[in-house]
């Protein structure tokens, strides 16, 4: 490469000349990772190499100042309370709490989750990207644990970024792409990021990209979550197909760690040691919390907060319950005073309401602002940060709440989610939301909550308020509602407003509705309007409807109109319908128009038309020109068409021409045409040539066909040929024998992912021989693949060794496979031991598989522990897993006990889990007993589940009452189920919705009475 000037390098990299000049100064500041990556690309050198040099330089400098203006600030510059670590006790000087830096923290007691955090931090310090999310109830020490974990990074050049301003989700979404290496991303209360209606999935995707982009690492992402959110995010999609948290579930998989609610005996002993050494805060907390172990909650003031709620004045309690309901129904952290004051009215009894004084609200807010032990207030006034954004085009600022705003204490918020989970808020709550809420997200959250509780009238009017604020989703909903009500003009007005907000769904739906009603001119006008607003397919959809109804002339006119907007799909449809109508010239014109617009599909169709019309030379010339320009599909299609029509020479010639261009696909397809025709030599030759060019699929398939036909020698030759293509052209090892000498020469670091391309053929052939009963032949092939470093082959060898009775060797190989990243061999051996009733050995192997990353075998660990006599250990394991969001082991263990006839144990474990908030096993058990004819037992279990707040159990009981003729009892239970807000989340949600619409066609009022007709 010729020498570049700094000016040329600036042009190539897209960086400023000053930035490039500064980067090359020996005494200059360390360039940012973004600058280094841009320079690497411009210079044509690997980015990771330069980034590694930068990381080394940053580590040697050891100064945060050298890191440039990255997000956040150095870890050592943070104060723990600024990161939302709960204050505890009094200040350092014993005076009233003042600045955050004056507050002191109690000594820290390490627990099991700290070990996992420490390991993640150590890995990050070594250059790896890691993420850990602590899952636990409020005030259990999650945030403090994260703070303690990052302290080893202080002073080493690591920065910590807490996305917070203007809101957590907005900050994360806007700046995650700017995170630089050696940054801790602090996601305390991660639900504020991942649960955002408009951005949660996008934030999850951005975090996943940050973790997997090696050029941006190392980064460390630390987060905290309450258990109910963890269960919500990790739950499988509902039966109606909706999946609101697919990216979040993927992000959290394998990255959550449970934090227990209380200290165990060893943790209490360590806390006592600190207390005896002079830690006044811990000594004080242990005087109250030693019995139940809830030390962190006591330090955070949780008992006092709860006492304030339960024993405060009626007005204060009403404000707290309104705030609790607001948060659990999805409102933002900051609740406006006008909303809370208006909402509180119906939370008061008639007597309490009559006794209110003129200044009741002022007195109640003052009462709730007084601090408790731990320096928290039940409901404290906050000052939201002003909106700070980068310069951009002027736009209307989002509305802000009128008057002061307040934040509910975390512990009371979670308490409210538990004690009020079965209740629908009263009418004053909904009216206050409709009157005083201004944020679109709050209005939409409350509308959704009303819909889920079948409060249809409130859902409608809250959506109307969101529509007034310009929300596109709300406008689309109202347009559909007006259309169903026969208010067509209003529907079109709302649809137009939605389109102006970049959502054309309503216009497109109205176009189809008008077409169906016979108003074709209006349908066309609406489709054109949608197309003008950016919905390029609106005219196409309408044209398709007309074509389906037999109106080909109208369809062609609309296709022409869509084609005029540049739609290549419309041009292709024109090409098709004109050819079907016999207009060859018109079809060709449409095809050329699409080709000129860049459509390769149209090119394929045009070449095919010329071939069918006998214009072979013209078709081939066009296809070759396109292939030379990189568009290969037309020539590939023509090659196969000629081959199938009997022109083998012509088809092969085109396929070889494509091979010269680097595309073996056509030659690979010819393999099967020749093989089926009996030309095995040609098929073999084509498969080998295609494989040499990178397409091994045909060769592997041909190999398996030869094996199936009994040609073992030919199959083996093809398998070795595929393996040799990797460049390993050593002598063929023997295909027989049970030695493992070859494996010892393969370092663990060289093991590759299962079924790597160079050993895939060997594995496929080995499996086929194993299925045919040829274990010796299979083992030889597996051995060759394992010698080449394939861990899937190593795992298969484990199976064959164990089958041959060589158990010790099998276990040794299985552990090597697990260490290389494949724990399935351990799982196989464990199941083998289980079949032989060697329960203890099976439990050990299953546990080793879990430790190696196989979370799916937790249920097996529990089952075999139980069989080995450790029932307590089995129960603890499944309950801990369920607490972390993995309910499969719990359900499997309950199912195993019930099937074995141990009904008492199955029921006891299910009830314990339900009491902890996990009701799936109890519901499973109820279904099992009902299927076995034990209706009384099933009903009893459903009642237990209903008592925990399970809407599904309530509705199951309602259906039982309905079948028994107790319609009033059924309606009461169904209404209670609706009050929980789970109308769309139970497994039989469609049945639930149908019942609700039939029973209460206009919805329910907040007090549960049917709503009268409304429009």
């Amino acid at each position: 490469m010729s020498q570049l000037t700094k000016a040329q390098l600036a042009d190539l990299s897209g960086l400023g000349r000053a930035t490039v000049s500064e980067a090359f100064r020996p005494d200059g500041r360390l360039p940012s990772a973004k600058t280094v990556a841009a320079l690497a690309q411009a210079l044509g050198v690997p980015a990771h190499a330069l980034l590694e040099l930068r990381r080394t330089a940053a580590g040697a400098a050891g100064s945060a100042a050298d890191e440039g203006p990255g997000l956040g600030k150095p870890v050592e510059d943070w104060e723990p309370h600024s990161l939302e670590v709960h204050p505890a006790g009094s200040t350092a000087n014993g005076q009233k709490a003042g600045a955050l830096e004056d507050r002191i923290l109690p000594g820290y007691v390490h627990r099991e989750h700290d070990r996992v955090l420490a390991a993640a931090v150590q890995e990050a310090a070594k250059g790896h990207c890691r993420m850990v999310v602590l899952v636990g109830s409020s005030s259990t020490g999650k945030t403090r644990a994260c703070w303690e974990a990052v302290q080893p990074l202080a002073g080493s050049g690591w920065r910590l970024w807490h996305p917070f301003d203007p809101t957590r989700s907005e900050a994360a979404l806007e700046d995650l792409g700017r995170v630089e290496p050696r940054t801790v991303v602090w996601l305390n209360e991660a639900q504020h990021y991942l649960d955002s209606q408009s951005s949660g999935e996008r934030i999850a995707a951005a975090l996943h990209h940050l973790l997997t982009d090696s050029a941006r690492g190392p980064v460390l992402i630390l987060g905290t979550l309450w258990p109910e959110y963890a269960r919500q995010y990790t739950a499988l999609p509902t039966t109606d197909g909706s999946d609101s948290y697919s990216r979040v579930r993927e992000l959290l998989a394998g990255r959550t760690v449970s934090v227990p609610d209380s200290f165990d005996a060893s943790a209490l002993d360590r806390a006592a040691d600190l207390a005896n050494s002079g830690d006044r805060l811990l000594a004080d907390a242990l005087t109250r919390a030693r019995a139940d172990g809830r030390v962190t909650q006591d330090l955070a003031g949780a008992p006092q907060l709860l006492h304030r709620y339960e024993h405060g004045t009626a007005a204060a309690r009403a404000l707290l319950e309104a705030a609790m309901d607001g948060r659990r129904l999805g409102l933002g952290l900051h609740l406006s005073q006008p909303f809370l004051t208006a909402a509180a009215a119906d939370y008061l009894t008639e007597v309490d309401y009559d006794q209110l004084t003129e200044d009741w609200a002022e007195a109640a807010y003052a009462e709730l602002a007084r601090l408790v032990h731990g320096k928290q207030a039940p409901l404290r006034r906050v000052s939201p940060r002003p909106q700070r954004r980068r310069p951009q085009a002027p736009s209307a600022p989002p509305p802000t709440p009128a008057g002061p705003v307040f934040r509910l204490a975390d512990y009371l918020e979670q308490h409210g989610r538990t004690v009020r989970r079965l209740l629908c808020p009263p009418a004053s709550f909904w009216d206050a939301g409709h009157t005083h809420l201004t944020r679109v997200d709050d209005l939409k959250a409350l509308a959704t909550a009303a819909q889920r509780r079948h409060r249809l009238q409130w859902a409608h009017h809250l959506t109307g308020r969101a529509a007034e604020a310009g929300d596109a989703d709300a406008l689309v909903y109202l347009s559909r509602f007006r259309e169903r009500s026969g208010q067509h003009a209003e529907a079109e007005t709302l649809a137009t407003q939605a389109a102006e907000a970049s959502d054309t769904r309503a216009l497109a739906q109205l176009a189809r509705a008008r077409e169906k009603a016979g108003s074709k001119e209006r349908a066309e006008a609406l489709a054109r309007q949608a197309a003008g607003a950016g919905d390029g397919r609106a005219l196409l959809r309408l044209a398709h409807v007309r074509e389906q109804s037999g109106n080909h002339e109208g369809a062609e006119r609309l296709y022409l109109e869509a084609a005029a907007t540049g739609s290549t799909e419309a041009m292709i449809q024109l090409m098709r319908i004109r050819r079907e109508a016999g207009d060859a010239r018109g079809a060709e014109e449409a095809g050329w128009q699409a080709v000129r617009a860049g459509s390769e599909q149209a090119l394929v169709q045009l070449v095919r038309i010329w071939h069918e019309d006998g214009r072979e030379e013209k078709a081939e010339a066009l296809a070759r020109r396109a292939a030379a320009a990189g568009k290969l599909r037309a020539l590939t299609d023509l090659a196969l068409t000629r081959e199938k029509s009997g022109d083998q020479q012509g088809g092969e010639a085109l396929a070889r021409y494509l091979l010269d261009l680097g595309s073996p696909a056509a030659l690979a397809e010819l393999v099967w045409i020749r093989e089926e025709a009996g030309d095995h030599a040609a098929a073999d030759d084509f498969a080998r040539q295609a494989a040499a060019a990178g397409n091994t699929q045909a060769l592997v398939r041909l190999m398996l066909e030869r094996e199936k036909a009994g040609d073992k020698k030919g199959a083996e030759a093809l398998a070795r040929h595929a393996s040799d293509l990797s460049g390993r052209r050593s002598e063929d090892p023997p295909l027989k024998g049970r030695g493992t000498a070859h494996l010892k020469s393969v370092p663990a670091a060289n093991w590759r992912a299962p079924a790597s391309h160079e050993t895939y053929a060997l594995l496929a052939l080995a499996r086929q021989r194993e299925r045919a009963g040829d274990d010796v032949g299979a083992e030889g092939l597996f051995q060759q693949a394992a010698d080449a470093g394939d861990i899937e082959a190593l795992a298969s060898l484990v199976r064959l060794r164990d089958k041959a009775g060589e158990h010790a060797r099998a276990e040794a190989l299985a552990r090597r496979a697990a260490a290389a990243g494949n724990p399935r061999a351990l799982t196989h051996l464990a199941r083998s031991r289980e079949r032989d009733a060697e329960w203890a050995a099976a439990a050990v192997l299953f546990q080793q598989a879990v430790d190696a990353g196989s979370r799916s075998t937790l249920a097996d660990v529990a089952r075999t522990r139980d069989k080995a006599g450790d029932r307590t250990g089995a129960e603890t394991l499944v309950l801990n897993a369920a607490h972390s969001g993995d309910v499969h082991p719990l359900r499997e263990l309950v199912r195993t006990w019930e099937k074995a006839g141990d009904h008492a144990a199955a029921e006891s474990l299910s009830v314990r889990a339900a009491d902890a908030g996990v009701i799936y096993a109890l519901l499973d058990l109820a279904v099992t007993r009902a299927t076995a004819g034990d209706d009384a037992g099933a009903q009893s279990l459903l009642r237990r589940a209903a008592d925990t707040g399970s809407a599904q159990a309530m509705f199951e009981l309602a259906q039982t009452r309905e079948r028994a003729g107790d319609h009033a009892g059924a309606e009461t239970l169904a209404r209670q189920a609706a009050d929980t807000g789970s109308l769309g989340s139970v497994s039989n949600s469609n049945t639930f919705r149908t019942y609700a619409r039939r029973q209460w066609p206009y919805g329910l009022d907040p007090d549960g009475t049917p709503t009268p007709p409304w429009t």
Side-chain angles (χ1 to χ4, degrees):
M1 181 177 182
S2 59
Q3 190 172 8
L4 295 173
T5 67
K6 291 178 182 176
Q8 291 170 326
L9 192 55
D11 291 338
L12 286 172
S13 64
L15 299 170
R17 295 191 180 186
T19 302
V20 173
S21 179
E22 177 72 16
F24 282 92
R25 281 182 55 191
D27 58 344
R29 189 174 60 185
L30 191 69
S32 70
K34 183 177 179 180
T35 297
V36 171
L39 290 172
Q41 184 175 4
L43 293 168
V45 299
H48 65 84
L50 285 187
L51 286 168
E52 183 58 38
L53 287 174
R54 179 190 178 278
R55 283 193 282 270
T56 302
S63 171
D66 291 338
E67 283 293 295
L71 292 172
K73 58 186 179 181
V75 172
E76 60 270 22
D77 289 352
W78 281 96
E79 196 280 330
H81 299 104
S82 298
L83 295 172
E84 303 175 302
V85 174
H86 283 164
S90 59
T91 58
N93 55 20
Q95 302 300 313
K96 185 177 180 180
L100 287 175
E101 57 269 19
D102 293 332
R103 302 180 184 180
I104 60 174
L105 291 174
Y108 189 69
V109 178
H110 288 268
R111 293 182 279 168
E112 180 60 25
H113 56 272
D114 294 296
R115 181 184 62 80
V116 180
L117 275 174
V121 172
Q122 289 172 5
E123 288 292 302
K126 293 176 181 177
H128 305 289
C129 293
R130 292 293 182 264
M131 177 178 182
V132 178
V133 177
L134 297 185
V135 177
S137 301
S138 175
S139 304
T140 51
K142 303 184 297 297
T143 313
R144 175 72 187 278
C146 292
W147 167 253
E148 295 293 334
V150 299
Q151 293 315 295
L153 300 178
S156 62
W158 277 76
R159 304 177 72 86
L160 188 149
W161 173 52
H162 183 199
F164 196 90
D165 180 24
T167 68
R168 298 175 193 237
S169 60
E170 288 177 293
L173 199 58
E174 184 173 356
D175 286 334
L176 271 169
R178 298 174 52 224
V179 171
E180 294 189 359
R182 299 162 68 84
T183 298
V184 178
V185 180
W186 189 268
L187 303 180
N188 193 47
E189 304 290 1
Q191 65 269 17
H192 299 315
Y193 304 94
L194 303 179
D195 204 48
S196 171
Q197 290 189 353
S198 58
S199 56
E201 286 286 88
R202 294 164 63 196
I203 290 173
L207 289 169
H208 188 269
H209 178 69
L210 180 59
L211 288 167
T212 55
D213 185 354
S214 59
R216 299 179 64 190
V219 294
L220 174 64
I221 303 173
L222 296 180
T224 66
L225 269 179
W226 290 352
E228 52 265 39
Y229 286 112
R231 288 193 290 269
Q232 179 182 346
Y233 300 155
T234 55
L236 294 177
T238 58
T239 54
D240 62 5
S242 61
D243 190 3
S244 303
Y245 301 109
S246 61
R247 299 305 300 267
V248 176
R249 185 170 59 251
E250 177 186 356
L251 176 71
L252 295 180
R255 296 187 172 108
T256 60
V257 179
S258 293
V259 176
D261 286 350
S262 58
F263 282 19
D264 59 17
S266 60
L268 285 170
D269 288 341
R270 290 193 294 275
D273 290 340
L274 289 171
N276 294 333
S277 300
D279 193 308
R280 178 176 52 80
L281 293 174
L282 273 176
D284 182 51
L286 286 172
T287 63
R288 295 178 296 272
R290 184 76 195 234
D292 60 11
R294 298 169 70 84
V295 178
T296 55
Q297 292 91 330
D298 186 274
L299 288 166
Q304 290 84 0
L305 287 170
L306 193 58
H307 185 272
R308 281 283 191 88
Y309 165 59
E310 293 175 342
H311 300 284
T313 63
R317 184 183 179 97
L319 286 173
L320 286 177
E321 289 181 344
M324 289 174 177
D325 285 349
R327 288 295 293 137
R328 73 185 177 92
L329 267 62
L331 298 187
L333 277 175
H334 300 151
L335 305 168
S336 74
Q337 187 178 50
F339 164 74
L340 289 172
T341 305
D346 289 351
Y347 289 85
L348 294 161
T349 66
E350 289 294 334
V351 173
D352 289 331
Y353 188 82
D354 289 341
Q355 293 178 353
L356 292 179
T357 60
E358 188 174 339
D359 64 346
W360 73 268
E362 183 180 347
Y365 284 112
E367 174 186 341
L368 294 173
R370 290 198 298 272
L371 300 179
V372 302
H373 172 78
K375 305 308 175 188
Q376 294 196 72
L379 187 70
R380 60 185 173 91
R381 182 171 175 173
V382 294
S383 299
R385 299 188 186 194
Q387 298 272 340
R388 297 188 182 95
R389 298 182 181 277
R390 296 187 180 89
Q392 55 186 0
S395 61
T400 55
V405 294
F406 292 81
R407 178 169 176 177
L408 181 66
D410 286 347
Y411 186 83
L412 290 181
E413 179 184 333
Q414 190 171 54
H415 181 71
R417 291 175 185 272
T418 301
V419 300
R420 299 187 59 77
R421 67 189 183 280
L422 306 182
L423 303 176
C424 178
S428 62
F429 175 89
W430 302 102
D431 183 72
H434 183 262
T435 305
H436 296 290
L437 294 180
T438 57
R439 291 182 65 248
V440 168
D441 283 351
D442 284 343
L443 289 164
K444 291 172 69 176
L446 218 53
T448 300
Q451 187 75 35
R452 289 174 176 170
R453 288 161 176 79
H454 205 60
R455 270 58 183 186
L456 303 182
Q457 190 173 20
W458 279 115
H460 174 77
H461 289 296
L462 286 162
T463 303
R465 290 275 286 109
E468 291 171 9
D471 181 70
D473 288 334
L475 288 164
V476 169
Y477 162 82
L478 286 181
S479 175
R480 293 171 180 168
F481 183 86
R482 294 283 186 263
E483 179 70 11
R484 289 194 300 269
S485 303
Q487 300 167 282
H488 304 307
E490 292 88 341
E492 290 189 14
T493 299
L494 289 163
T496 300
Q497 292 174 11
E500 290 170 353
S502 301
D503 193 326
T504 60
R505 287 176 295 166
L507 281 174
Q509 289 162 0
L510 288 180
R512 290 194 293 273
R514 298 290 183 273
E515 178 77 10
K516 188 175 181 181
S519 181
K520 299 187 181 301
E521 290 184 3
R522 194 64 202 141
E524 285 190 23
L526 289 166
R528 289 191 190 95
Q529 192 176 348
D535 184 357
R537 297 185 58 81
L539 289 167
L540 279 173
R541 286 191 292 265
L542 189 58
H544 182 70
V545 169
R546 294 204 174 166
E547 188 178 357
Q548 293 295 105
S549 67
N551 183 1
H552 297 287
E553 182 180 344
E556 183 172 352
R557 181 163 47 80
L558 287 172
Y559 282 135
L560 269 171
E561 198 169 332
T565 68
S567 168
T568 57
E569 184 176 348
M571 300 170 195
I572 291 170
Q573 295 300 331
L574 271 176
M575 185 181 181
R576 176 184 55 78
I577 62 173
R578 285 177 176 177
R579 182 161 177 80
E580 289 173 355
D583 181 6
R585 183 175 179 180
E588 190 169 323
E589 288 176 356
W592 272 117
Q593 185 182 359
V595 169
R596 285 192 292 270
S599 171
E600 191 169 3
Q601 182 183 352
L603 185 66
V604 172
Q605 295 296 327
L606 198 57
V607 168
R608 189 174 294 173
I609 288 173
W610 286 349
H611 168 77
E612 291 172 357
D613 291 346
R615 292 180 281 178
E616 286 288 348
E617 290 184 5
K618 192 173 182 179
E620 183 174 336
L622 176 61
R624 282 180 178 268
R625 285 201 307 273
K631 295 182 177 181
L632 308 175
R633 286 173 53 193
L635 193 59
T636 300
D637 184 79
L638 184 61
L640 296 177
T641 300
R642 285 187 176 176
E643 179 77 16
K644 291 173 183 176
S645 65
D647 182 7
Q648 291 187 340
Q649 185 176 356
E652 183 177 338
L654 292 180
R656 292 192 182 280
Y657 177 73
L658 284 163
L659 188 65
D660 292 339
L661 293 176
S663 173
L667 200 63
E669 288 293 329
L670 293 188
V671 170
W672 303 109
I673 300 174
R674 295 292 175 93
E675 181 74 5
E676 290 172 4
D679 189 353
H680 305 306
D684 190 284
D685 180 48
F686 291 166
R688 289 172 183 263
Q689 290 184 57
N695 186 325
T696 59
Q697 293 180 356
L699 187 145
V700 172
R701 183 179 165 192
L702 186 62
M703 170 198 75
L704 295 176
E705 290 294 328
R706 296 278 169 84
E707 175 79 6
K708 188 176 178 181
D711 183 8
K712 292 184 178 294
K713 185 176 180 181
E716 205 168 286
L718 290 172
R720 285 204 179 108
H721 182 76
S723 181
D724 287 346
L725 290 174
S726 68
R728 293 185 175 88
R729 299 184 180 278
S730 56
E731 294 183 8
D732 290 336
L735 290 177
K736 297 183 180 181
R738 295 188 174 275
T740 55
H742 296 289
L743 293 178
K744 295 178 182 178
S745 65
V746 182
N750 291 339
W751 293 111
R752 291 183 299 279
S756 55
H757 70 275
E758 55 264 43
T759 53
Y760 177 77
L762 287 169
L763 289 176
L765 185 57
R767 290 191 185 106
Q768 184 150 314
R769 290 194 175 176
E770 186 180 3
R771 284 193 296 270
D774 182 8
D775 288 351
V776 173
E779 185 172 343
L781 293 167
F782 282 135
Q783 182 78 60
Q784 290 183 62
D787 288 344
D790 194 303
I791 57 175
E792 183 69 24
L794 184 61
S796 297
L797 280 174
V798 170
R799 186 176 61 251
L800 291 177
R801 294 281 191 273
D802 194 56
K803 185 177 178 181
E806 300 177 23
H807 305 309
R809 280 188 175 182
E811 289 191 18
L813 286 177
R815 291 188 184 94
R816 290 198 69 187
N822 187 342
R824 288 195 299 274
L826 284 170
T827 302
H828 170 81
L829 291 182
R831 293 211 166 94
S832 176
R833 303 296 176 269
E834 190 176 7
R835 284 192 295 271
D836 295 336
E838 298 176 17
W839 308 114
V844 169
L845 289 165
F846 277 131
Q847 185 63 59
Q848 289 175 352
V850 169
D851 294 341
S854 178
R855 299 293 299 172
S856 62
T857 57
L858 269 176
D860 300 305
V861 176
R863 185 182 63 253
T864 48
R865 280 189 185 178
D866 176 57
K867 291 284 189 181
D870 183 13
R871 174 156 292 190
T872 300
E875 290 183 348
T876 301
L877 176 68
V878 299
L879 288 172
N880 286 342
H883 184 72
S884 300
D886 184 3
V887 299
H888 175 70
L890 169 69
R891 298 170 85 168
E892 283 296 308
L893 190 59
V894 169
R895 192 175 294 125
T896 298
W897 287 350
E898 181 72 7
K899 188 176 179 180
D902 196 348
H903 307 304
E907 186 168 332
S908 173
L909 181 57
S910 299
V911 169
R912 285 175 60 196
D915 289 342
V918 182
I919 51 88
Y920 300 103
L922 202 57
L923 293 172
D924 288 347
L925 196 55
V927 171
T928 300
R929 297 208 174 160
T931 303
D934 182 8
D935 292 332
Q939 297 263 339
S940 174
L941 293 171
L942 286 174
R943 278 191 291 273
R944 293 294 296 265
D947 290 342
T948 69
S950 167
Q952 183 166 336
M954 295 175 194
F955 188 58
E956 293 284 355
L957 285 172
Q959 288 183 297
T960 302
R961 296 273 179 91
E962 185 79 13
R963 288 191 293 268
D966 181 8
H967 304 300
E971 184 175 355
T972 298
L973 282 164
R975 186 170 58 246
Q976 290 172 358
D979 285 350
T980 67
S982 302
L983 192 61
S985 61
V986 299
S987 63
N988 50 355
S989 57
N990 290 332
T991 307
F992 197 173
R993 288 194 188 96
T994 301
Y995 176 92
R997 285 193 292 265
R998 183 182 70 246
Q999 199 70 22
W1000 315 298
Y1002 300 100
L1004 293 168
D1005 280 349
D1007 64 0
T1009 58
T1011 304
W1014 58 276
T1015 57

